[in-house]
Amino acid sequence: MQTVLIVGAGKGGTALLENLYNTKMIRIIAVIDINPSAPGRLLAKKLNIPDDDDWRNYLSDKIDIVVEATGNEKVFQAIREVRGKRTVVIPSSVAHVTAQLMEEKEELISKLRDESYKHDLIFNSTHDGMIVVNQDCEIILFNKSAEKITEIPKAEAIGRHIDKVIPLSRLPGVLSSRKIEVNQELLLHNGKKIITTRIPMINESGILFGAFAVFKEITEVVTLAAEITNLMEIHTMLEAVIQSSDDAISVVDEQGRGIIINPAYTRITGLTEEEVIGKPADVDISEGESMHMQVLTTRRPVRGFKLKVGPNKRDVVVNVAPIIVEGKLKGSVAVIHDMSEIRTLTNELHRARQIIRTLEAKYSFEDIIAISEEMKVAIEQAKLGAKTPATVLLRGESGTGKELFAHAIHNASDRKFNKFVRVNCAALSESLLESELFGYEEGAFSGAKRGGKRGLFEEANNGSIFLDEIGELSANTQAKLLRVLQENEIVRVGGTKSITINVRVIAATNVNLEKAISTGAFREDLYYRLNRMPIHIPPLRMRKQDITELSHHLLHKINQDYGRKIEGLTPEAIDYLMLYDWPGNVRELENVLGRAVIFMNSNEFFIDIKHIQSLSTINNPEPSNGTQVVIEKDQPLSEMVEIFEAKAIKEVLDRHDGNKTITAKSLGISLRSLYYKLEKYNLANSGMQ
C-alpha cells in the first residue's frame, strides 16, 4: 500500500483525488489547499480523508508520493527540497493535461460542427496553437496558444495572408490539395520547432471554405510523454514497494476474501498465496478473532490488536483500516507487525536509554522534595544560579542531595542539551585525577595511550562538569583548576599547548573550606573563584517537615527496585522518624526504609514503627536537647514550632554577638534564609551586626 499526499485541491487536485482514491494499492494520507472551501477538500471530508492548509504537517519519510496540483512552481520546489529520500514528487499536469486535452479537442470538433459562433471560446481554452484561414489564405482565427508559441500578437495576425505571418506555413498547399497533413514538423521564425496537423474545411456540399492548423511545441509533447512514462513507472514502483515491504500486508475485499498479501506476510504467518487468496479473512488466525471482519462490520479502523497467526501461532500486532471508495466499502487492509521484532527493538531502546543516562543529567528540580522553607530557599538559589554561567558551590553534609542539585542545575540551564560529566575527586588518586580531568599527551607517562587522551573537561565542553568532594583536591590539582576557572583553558598532562574550553563548573563539598584555608589545605584564591554562587543545602534534621514527602518519594523508588508494592507509612512510623536527627541525612533515611521493605512480610503494605524500630540505627530516639518551650495553654503545633524556632535563633544570635554570618552557619541554614526568619519573628534588630 503506497501513501500519497495531494497538495492542491482545485479542479486538477480533485480529479486526481477521484482517480487515485479508486486505486486499491494507494492510500491518500491528506488533501492540502489554502482554501478551506476548495472542491478537493470538500470531497476529502466526504471520503473521510484528512484535509489541511499546510502540507508540512503531513510530509514525512512515511509518504511515498507527493502530487503537487497547485501549479505553483515555488510550492513544487519547496516540497522537493524537504521531501524524504524515498518520497517521489510528481506534478499533476500528467493526468490533468491529458484529460483536459482530450476533452477540449472533442469539444472543439463538436463546436466547430454545430456551434461555430463559440469558436473563440473553444480556441482560446486549448493549450494547442490553432490558426484558421479562409479560402483566400487570410487568417480569420488565431488563438492565445498560437500567440504564445509563435510570439506574434493576434492583432498583427488577423486579416493578413498566412505567408506574411508564418512564411513556411503549408496551409496554402492544404487549400490547393484538399488533403489532411498529420503530425508534420515545422521550424518557426523564432526558432521553436512544432508538430502540426493541417486540415482543409469542406462543408456538406463539398465546398472548400478554409483550412485550419493545430500545433504544439515538440518540447511540450516530449515532456508529456516523459510524465506519462513516469506515472507508469510510479505505478510499477508502488507494486514493488508493497511486495518488498518488511511489514506484512494483507488486503481483503468487501466480502472478507483475501486478495493481496506480500512476501513479508508469508514470512511471518507461514501461509502462502494459495492458502490465503480467495479464502476467508480468518484463515490465518490461530488465536483471537479476525480484525478484517470487525473492520468490515464497523467501518472503523483497529489499532494495536494482538493476535496469534499461522500454524506456528506467531505473536503479532495488527493495524487494520477500511478501504472506502466514494463512500462505498471496498474491503480492508491490515499491516501486521511481528511481536518478536518489537520486543527486540524495545530491548535495544532500553539499552540505549541506559547508555544515555550515563552521559546526561538524570534529575530536575521537580525531583527535589521541598516542603520546608530552608529547602525552598536553596532551590530558588539553585534555579537562579542555573540561569547564569557562574560557578556554583554546593555545600552541605553528606547525603543531603548535592549531586541531585547539580543534575537539576544543569538541566535548568541553557547547556542542558550538552554533556553533564560527574567526577568524584575523593575517589581517584592525585596522579590519576589530574590525567582524568585534563587529559594527557602521547608519551606523557608510562602506559599512556598512543595519540593521548581527552580529559573530562574537554569531554564536558559546552556542557557542565560536577566536581564532587572538591575539598579533597591536592594543592597541584587545585592550581590547575584555578587556571581553568580564570582562563577557561586547560593544558594536558605532558603537554604545553593551551586548549580553550567552555565548561560550567558545579562543585560540591561537605567539609569546612574556611577551616581548610586557615590550615593551608585549600587555596584561598580558588575558594573565592568557587564561592561565587554558594548554595547551602540544609541537613535533614533542619527540615524535618520534608520527612513525610521524602519517605513516600523514596518508598516509590524502593518499590521499583525491589519489586514490592508497599503503599506507605503509618502515622506512628512517621512520628517516630521525626524524632530522629538523621546524621546520615536523606541517604540514611533511604537506607532505613529500604531495609524495612526487605524484611516486611508479603501481606504487609504499610511500614509501621515495628519495622523501623528493630532495623534502623534509631535506638531509643529522644527529642534533641536545646531550647525548651513552655506550653502555658493549648496551642496549635505550628505556633509552638514557631515559638521554639524564634527562641532558638535568638539564643544562637546572642551567643555569637549578633554575627549573622556565623549564626547562619551554626544553624546550618543559608544567610538569605536567616534574614527571612529574622524578619518573620521581628528579630531583625537583634545583636550587634
Side-chain angles (χ1 to χ4, degrees), residues 109-181:
I109 295 172
S110 176
K111 298 292 184 180
L112 285 172
R113 287 176 181 170
D114 305 317
E115 301 180 54
S116 60
Y117 66 91
K118 296 181 180 179
H119 62 274
D120 286 337
L121 176 62
I122 299 170
F123 281 8
N124 288 319
S125 65
T126 181
H127 291 287
D128 289 346
M130 286 192 173
I131 299 176
V132 179
V133 298
N134 59 20
Q135 62 270 33
D136 296 323
C137 290
E138 294 174 344
I139 298 173
I140 58 175
L141 288 173
F142 198 84
N143 74 349
K144 291 183 178 180
S145 294
E147 284 186 285
K148 182 179 179 181
I149 296 171
T150 63
E151 299 178 0
I152 298 172
K154 178 180 178 181
E156 295 181 10
I158 296 297
R160 297 181 66 190
H161 195 281
I162 186 65
D163 288 341
K164 300 294 184 182
V165 179
I166 302 177
L168 299 178
S169 174
R170 286 279 304 148
L171 282 177
V174 170
L175 285 172
S176 300
S177 66
R178 295 195 175 196
K179 292 182 179 180
I180 299 173
E181 295 181 355

Side-chain angles (χ1 to χ4, degrees), residues 30-153:
V31 177
I32 310 299
D33 199 290
I34 59 174
N35 180 9
S37 301
R41 288 187 64 173
L42 297 177
L43 178 59
K45 291 183 189 309
K46 292 180 181 179
L47 299 177
N48 296 321
I49 296 174
D51 66 294
D52 203 342
D53 58 1
D54 191 347
W55 52 266
R56 295 177 181 86
N57 296 333
Y58 292 86
L59 187 60
S60 69
D61 289 337
K62 296 181 180 179
I63 302 297
D64 299 307
I65 301 171
V66 179
V67 178
E68 193 286 307
T70 66
N72 189 321
E73 183 64 20
K74 291 182 179 179
V75 174
F76 181 79
Q77 292 301 328
I79 294 173
R80 286 182 60 119
E81 290 175 2
V82 301
R83 62 168 180 171
K85 292 182 178 180
R86 62 187 292 269
T87 303
V88 178
V89 184
I90 63 172
S92 63
S93 56
V94 177
H96 180 68
V97 169
T98 303
Q100 191 174 18
L101 285 175
M102 294 300 297
E103 179 183 355
E104 290 172 350
K105 287 180 181 179
E106 291 176 0
E107 185 180 4
L108 177 61
I109 295 172
S110 176
K111 298 292 184 180
L112 285 172
R113 287 176 181 170
D114 305 317
E115 301 180 54
S116 60
Y117 66 91
K118 296 181 180 179
H119 62 274
D120 286 337
L121 176 62
I122 299 170
F123 281 8
N124 288 319
S125 65
T126 181
H127 291 287
D128 289 346
M130 286 192 173
I131 299 176
V132 179
V133 298
N134 59 20
Q135 62 270 33
D136 296 323
C137 290
E138 294 174 344
I139 298 173
I140 58 175
L141 288 173
F142 198 84
N143 74 349
K144 291 183 178 180
S145 294
E147 284 186 285
K148 182 179 179 181
I149 296 171
T150 63
E151 299 178 0
I152 298 172

